[in-house]
Structure formats: C-alpha cells, structure tokens
Amino acid sequence: MSYFKIKSHAKINLSLNVIGKSKSLHKIESIISFLILHDEIKIRKIDNRNHKIKFIGKFSKGINSKNTVSKLLENIDKRKLLKNKYQIIIKKNIPSKAGLGGGSMNAASLINFFIKKRLI
C-alpha cells in the first residue's frame, strides 16, 4: 500500500502575549505566520496492533519515544476514534526546540489529515 504524503509547516510567532495562567499552562494570544520550511510526513494504514512512528532526517536525533505525535495517537486510541493503526514516517527538516512548532505542527497536521480523510 502506498503512503499519503503531507507537509507540516513550521510557524513563527510574530506576537505573543501572556493573558493568564491555569494550573500548569500559560494562556496566550499569538499572531503566527507559517513558513516554507516543513517536515514531510508519510502515512499508511498497517495491519498491526500498534501504530509505528519513525523519525528520519537531519533533525531526527534525540526525539523521545514519548513525543507529541505519540501522545496524540495515544489520546485518539484511548477514545477509540481510529479504526485502524498507521505507520507514520516523519522526515524532520525543522530543528527541534527552535521555537518553530515542529512537534506540535506534526501532531496538528496529522489530526487535520485524519479529519479530512474522515478517519476520525
């Protein structure tokens, strides 16, 4: 089976304003802009009991097995929103911890993909 391919664009905060705080998180208002720089995500359905996530590329070193994408899939599975399991390969072109939203944008791109394809 072939892969679906999506781009997960980096974002930059043009303005960031802290407007409050909950127990552990800050409440913010932000103006962002998306960049041409993007991670490349390949997704395909697999016959397996678990999702498979693999990071490749220049900035893939040091990504923990408990990352934003794995946590997203864990939450989706807890709620039994996906019928199938998926292999996800993410080519990291966005540097980690650079403030460009790499991990969170990967998770957001995946959930948008699942919604657009009516998998959730």
Side-chain angles (χ1 to χ4, degrees), residues 3-16:
Y3 287 92
F4 287 100
K5 295 177 185 176
I6 59 175
K7 293 178 181 177
S8 176
H9 289 273
K11 59 107 181 136
I12 188 165
N13 289 309
L14 301 173
S15 171
L16 180 73

Side-chain angles (χ1 to χ4, degrees), residues 65-101:
S65 62
K66 274 287 198 189
N67 54 66
T68 311
V69 172
S70 69
K71 290 176 188 176
L72 168 70
L73 293 171
E74 186 179 305
N75 283 323
I76 288 172
D77 286 345
K78 248 186 233 179
R79 291 167 177 75
K80 298 182 176 158
L81 297 174
L82 280 177
K83 295 175 188 166
N84 299 299
K85 301 297 181 189
Y86 293 87
Q87 179 181 34
I88 299 166
I89 300 171
I90 302 174
K91 182 178 180 191
K92 294 298 295 174
N93 298 315
I94 301 170
S96 296
K97 302 187 185 196
L100 297 173

Side-chain angles (χ1 to χ4, degrees), residues 24-56:
S24 61
L25 299 173
H26 288 89
K27 295 178 183 178
I28 65 166
E29 292 177 334
S30 179
I31 298 172
I32 65 166
S33 181
F34 294 101
L35 307 177
I36 294 171
L37 177 66
H38 63 273
D39 289 341
E40 299 165 20
I41 303 175
K42 296 195 304 188
I43 309 162
R44 72 174 180 168
K45 185 170 65 168
I46 56 173
D47 290 326
N48 202 334
R49 293 182 57 192
N50 298 308
H51 299 287
K52 292 185 178 182
I53 305 167
K54 181 178 181 182
F55 292 92
I56 62 173

